[in-house]
Amino acid sequence: DEEIRGGDKRWTKSLFVTADGQAVKGVGIGQQVRGANIKGSRPTLIIVDDIYTEDNILTEHSRKKVSKWYQSALENSLDSKDGKILALGTLLHPDTIFNYFDKNPMYKGINRPIIALEDLQMVISRMKDDEIFDQPEFFNSPDSIKYFEDLSENIKSLSWAERHPLRNIMIKYYEKYIANDLNWFYQEYM
C-alpha cells in the first residue's frame, strides 16, 4: 500500500505492509512509540519479544526505565478499543514487567517451562537409577542420544522439542549442576 509507505514500494528496516494491507512496524526498547499512527489508526496488536536483556536488568534504575517505557509509552500507543498486547520473554529478574502482568487482572499469562518439573525430576531419578547421572562422559557418548530419545517418548511436556531436545536440556542441567549454579538453569529454562 503506497499510501502507508509514502509511495516507497520497498520494505524499510522498520516497516513493511502485508499482502492484505496490514502495516507491521518494528521498534526497539525505549524507541519512540507514543503517537504511533498509520492512516489514522493506532496499533491494534503489539508484540513484545524479549524486552529484557542481561544489560537492562542489571540495576533497579534500568529495570524501572524499561517498565516505565512499557507502561507509559507502549501501552498508551495501543488502540484503546481493539488493541491487544502479546508479550513474550524470559523472566531474567524478579523485578520486571512480567510481575506487573501477574498482578494485573487485565493480563492473561501462560508460563511455559522448557520441561515440566515433574518430568525433569523423573529423568534425573531414572538417570540415577541407571547409575549414569554422575558420569559426565555419558552425556557426550553415542549411547546418550538413544537413551534420551527413548526417554523423550514418554515426555509430553517438552515445550520445543525440535529446538531443545531432552538430551540438550539435560546437558545444560548437568553443566549447571556440576557448576553449583542450578538457580541459573531454573531461572532461564523453568
Side-chain angles (χ1 to χ4, degrees), residues 2-3 23 84 103 107 117 119 171 180 190:
E2 288 187 39
E3 186 179 337
K84 294 188 177 18
K103 295 173 186 168
Y107 282 86
L117 182 58
D119 288 335
I171 287 171
N180 198 27
M190 303 298 284

Side-chain angles (χ1 to χ4, degrees), residues 156-168:
K156 303 296 182 223
S157 68
L158 294 174
S159 63
W160 196 359
E162 303 81 33
R163 178 141 159 75
H164 300 284
L166 179 61
R167 179 173 176 264
N168 294 24

Side-chain angles (χ1 to χ4, degrees), residues 80-107:
S80 59
K81 182 178 173 224
D82 296 319
K84 294 188 177 18
I85 297 175
L86 172 63
L88 309 165
T90 301
L91 182 64
L92 297 176
H93 190 281
D95 180 24
T96 63
I97 198 76
F98 294 108
N99 282 333
Y100 166 73
F101 299 153
D102 282 342
K103 295 173 186 168
N104 186 333
M106 298 305 294
Y107 282 86

Side-chain angles (χ1 to χ4, degrees), residues 15-84:
L15 177 71
F16 67 91
V17 179
T18 64
D20 67 349
Q22 300 298 311
V24 179
K25 183 174 183 176
V27 297
I29 185 75
Q31 287 185 308
Q32 173 63 37
V33 292
R34 190 180 289 272
N37 184 324
I38 295 179
K39 291 176 63 174
S41 296
R42 298 186 87 178
T44 55
L45 176 63
I46 295 175
I47 300 173
V48 177
D49 188 20
D50 288 332
I51 195 169
Y52 289 99
T53 66
E54 282 76 14
D55 291 333
N56 68 15
I57 62 158
L58 287 177
T59 67
E60 180 180 359
H61 173 75
S62 61
R63 292 187 301 272
K64 284 187 180 203
K65 187 174 177 181
V66 172
S67 293
K68 182 177 181 194
W69 176 78
Y70 182 92
Q71 293 173 331
S72 298
L74 194 67
E75 282 184 339
N76 287 329
S77 70
L78 191 64
D79 182 272
S80 59
K81 182 178 173 224
D82 296 319
K84 294 188 177 18

